[in-house]
Amino acid sequence: MRTQVGIVGAGPAGLFLAHLLRRAGVDCVILESRSRDYIEKRVRAGVLEQTTVNLMHEVGAGERLKREGMPDPLLDIRFAGGIIHIDLKELTPGKIVTVYGQQEVVKDLIASWVKGGGSIEFEAEALGLDGLNSERPNIRYRKNGREDTIECDFIAGCDGFHGVSRPAIPESVLSIYDRIFPFGWLGIISESTPFPEMTYANHERGFALASRRGPHIARLYVQCAADEDLNLWPDARIWDELHKRLGGARKLTEGKMVQKGITPMRSFVVEPMQHGRLFLAGDSAHIVPPTGAKGLNLAAADVWVLARAFDEFFRTGSRKRLERYSEVCLKRVWKAVRYSSYLTSLLHRFEQHTPFERQLQHTELEYLLNSKAARTTVAENYVGLPFVDD
Ligand code: RFL
Ligand code: PHB
């Protein structure tokens, strides 16, 4: 098999890239190690920046999002000193976010990709990437027990944090920035009426978050140990912690828990995001703790830049944008890393904090409560910084 751009991974990064390339008339093939059913059910992110929503429409996959996506103009932060209301619309020039599950984004992108005749191989696991410094790099993969290769002009490594693309780059040319936070999130989906506003809580027992997936589906998280054992969290204990941490004026409604999982909290960035003819995008190049709701949106921003660079190359032969890809993306990536790290530090309980550090955290929350300028900074980053490509 031969293609212009071989895409490893059918997460948001790989799927958005494929759509943008098709629009530009660039030929590509997606290889995905999991089954279609598995990736369409994998519960992850839920908050889309306006630019990501726009991208769904631009690639022609936004119809259901328009009907079922939940526009979210507000977020609340609860803490011992009160409730900070962040009115996104008022504090930014009219911008909001939209709550829509990542698996729904993935479903919609796959459906319109396949409908338009796009090439995608499920249960096709990339085993390794070869010839990255040659004119014809290739992807070795296995499907149905048989090994094969795809010869490409370029490879897009969109295979997430645990994929094969980043490890294909010699360690000696990479700089790695890594911070592991000393806690995780235990996330659930419950068949119950959610809070109407996105609610983050800094509580002395630890962080909690109340989000949603639909009018009768709540998405809830509590801070837990980094190496938490799910067996130690029967449903009753989860509800008890959620009530304690999110309790207050509004009463949380309980419902049947249909999904439970643990998410580690980590910031990780690799520089550069490119080596020879391999370009990394999304979680394969960087991850952020989910507190700022940035991971999926960063993946979309990366491939928007990458698609424009491939388009320019195949139309004009110019490598200018391809050469600047990593530098351009990393500027925006670092801003999201900064913001996610700030919100994570602001909202969680750190066992190792001294009384001095606890006092500083509380004072920062008090400051947000009383300063419109401080709330504006949170809102501006939450709704998302613009896509830029120079
Ligand atoms: P993905 O989604 O991990 O997709 C990578 C794909 O590559 C496949 N793959 C391979 N395919 C072929 N061969 C191989 N050798 C392969 N190895 C891997 C995988 O099966 C997979 O399908 O990466 P991508 O596309 O970069 O997308 C990134 C996002 O998934 C991620 O950043 C977000 O989910 C992070 N995140 C959030 N981001 C937001 O923008 N807003 C949020 O509200 C938000 N909340 C979250 C989150 C992540 C969470 N978890 C579970 C980590 C909440 C949570 C709880
Ligand atoms: C979610 O709805 O899953 C969600 C919302 C906000 C976050 C992270 C995840 O910061």
Side-chain angles (χ1 to χ4, degrees):
M1 225 197 301
R2 178 144 177 75
T3 188
Q4 286 177 300
V5 179
I7 301 177
V8 189
L15 290 164
F16 272 125
L17 179 63
H19 276 275
L20 289 166
L21 292 179
R22 175 158 72 189
R23 234 182 28 162
V26 175
D27 180 48
C28 61
V29 174
I30 313 175
L31 292 182
E32 166 59 50
S33 56
R34 303 285 193 160
S35 68
R36 179 171 179 175
D37 187 58
Y38 180 91
I39 62 170
E40 290 187 346
K41 290 197 175 127
R42 188 166 49 192
V43 176
R44 284 190 168 171
V47 178
L48 308 187
E49 296 172 359
Q50 189 58 49
T51 39
T52 307
V53 170
N54 294 346
L55 203 56
M56 286 290 282
H57 291 297
E58 270 170 48
V59 302
E63 199 185 304
R64 193 162 65 95
L65 167 62
K66 194 169 176 187
R67 273 198 325 271
E68 296 177 18
M70 292 162 285
D72 210 347
L74 297 169
L75 66 95
D76 278 358
I77 299 177
R78 295 189 190 182
F79 75 113
I83 303 181
I84 304 161
H85 298 292
I86 309 237
D87 185 331
L88 300 173
K89 214 170 187 165
E90 180 210 337
L91 297 169
T92 65
K95 292 186 183 165
I96 58 165
V97 294
T98 299
V99 179
Y100 191 65
Q102 176 168 327
Q103 73 272 35
E104 308 306 328
V105 170
V106 164
K107 253 186 240 167
D108 297 348
L109 288 173
I110 292 177
S112 68
W113 177 249
V114 170
K115 195 171 163 204
S119 178
I120 181 164
E121 300 283 341
F122 294 103
E123 296 174 74
E125 184 189 6
L127 302 171
L129 313 180
D130 301 306
L132 297 180
N133 289 308
S134 74
E135 297 273 295
R136 293 274 176 273
N138 62 70
I139 309 171
R140 264 179 300 116
Y141 71 101
R142 182 169 45 218
K143 179 164 172 143
N144 297 330
R146 273 195 43 214
E147 288 192 17
D148 220 328
T149 57
I150 301 188
E151 200 183 80
C152 319
D153 291 321
F154 294 97
I155 298 173
C158 301
D159 46 351
F161 191 62
H162 302 287
V164 295
S165 297
R166 192 180 63 253
I169 304 177
E171 265 179 42
S172 58
V173 302
L174 292 179
S175 298
I176 288 173
Y177 302 85
D178 195 5
R179 178 178 182 190
I180 297 175
F181 289 90
F183 40 73
W185 281 11
L186 192 168
I188 63 154
I189 297 231
S190 155
E191 290 172 349
S192 50
T193 308
F195 281 173
E197 20 340 80
M198 180 75 73
T199 305
Y200 292 82
N202 172 319
H203 190 274
E204 60 179 20
R205 299 181 67 83
F207 169 87
L209 167 62
S211 177
R212 61 199 192 281
R213 286 293 181 272
H216 307 291
I217 303 178
R219 175 72 165 140
L220 300 153
Y221 299 93
V222 284
Q223 178 181 346
C224 60
D227 56 352
E228 193 67 71
D229 177 0
L230 256 186
N231 294 319
L232 298 177
W233 287 81
D235 295 6
R237 180 175 175 204
I238 300 176
W239 285 118
D240 185 46
E241 283 301 325
L242 284 166
H243 286 305
K244 283 182 176 139
R245 300 182 194 187
L246 288 163
R250 240 182 240 299
K251 184 141 173 46
L252 194 65
T253 315
E254 292 188 17
K256 185 176 160 212
M257 277 186 207
V258 288
Q259 205 266 346
K260 276 190 209 177
I262 305 242
T263 303
M265 307 283 283
R266 184 171 190 175
S267 299
F268 177 99
V269 181
V270 76
E271 288 190 24
M273 290 168 58
Q274 177 256 339
H275 178 70
R277 288 191 168 231
L278 167 66
F279 292 79
L280 303 178
D283 276 19
S284 72
H286 42 72
I287 53 172
V288 287
T291 328
K294 291 286 162 242
L296 183 163
N297 296 295
L298 277 182
D302 285 352
V303 297
W304 183 81
V305 177
L306 187 55
R308 285 166 69 89
F310 282 143
D311 179 29
E312 182 182 74
F313 176 83
F314 286 113
R315 265 187 311 105
T316 70
S318 165
R319 292 168 184 262
K320 256 200 179 132
R321 283 180 195 271
L322 282 174
E323 279 165 6
R324 297 210 53 226
Y325 168 72
S326 180
E327 186 192 336
V328 166
C329 285
L330 284 167
K331 270 193 196 160
R332 192 176 185 284
V333 165
W334 272 109
K335 288 179 187 148
V337 171
R338 180 201 73 84
Y339 179 66
S340 308
S341 193
Y342 165 75
L343 278 189
T344 303
S345 302
L346 180 72
L347 297 176
H348 291 77
R349 182 181 170 87
F350 289 72
E351 288 306 331
Q352 72 273 39
H353 266 179
T354 60
F356 178 87
E357 288 163 317
R358 288 229 163 96
Q359 199 59 43
L360 272 191
Q361 195 191 51
H362 186 83
T363 304
E364 177 77 24
L365 288 158
E366 289 276 353
Y367 182 57
L368 276 170
L369 183 66
N370 295 307
S371 162
K372 187 173 175 186
R375 288 196 301 280
T376 304
T377 303
V378 171
E380 178 179 67
N381 285 276
Y382 199 76
V383 299
L385 301 174
F387 284 4
V388 276
D389 75 343
D390 48 26

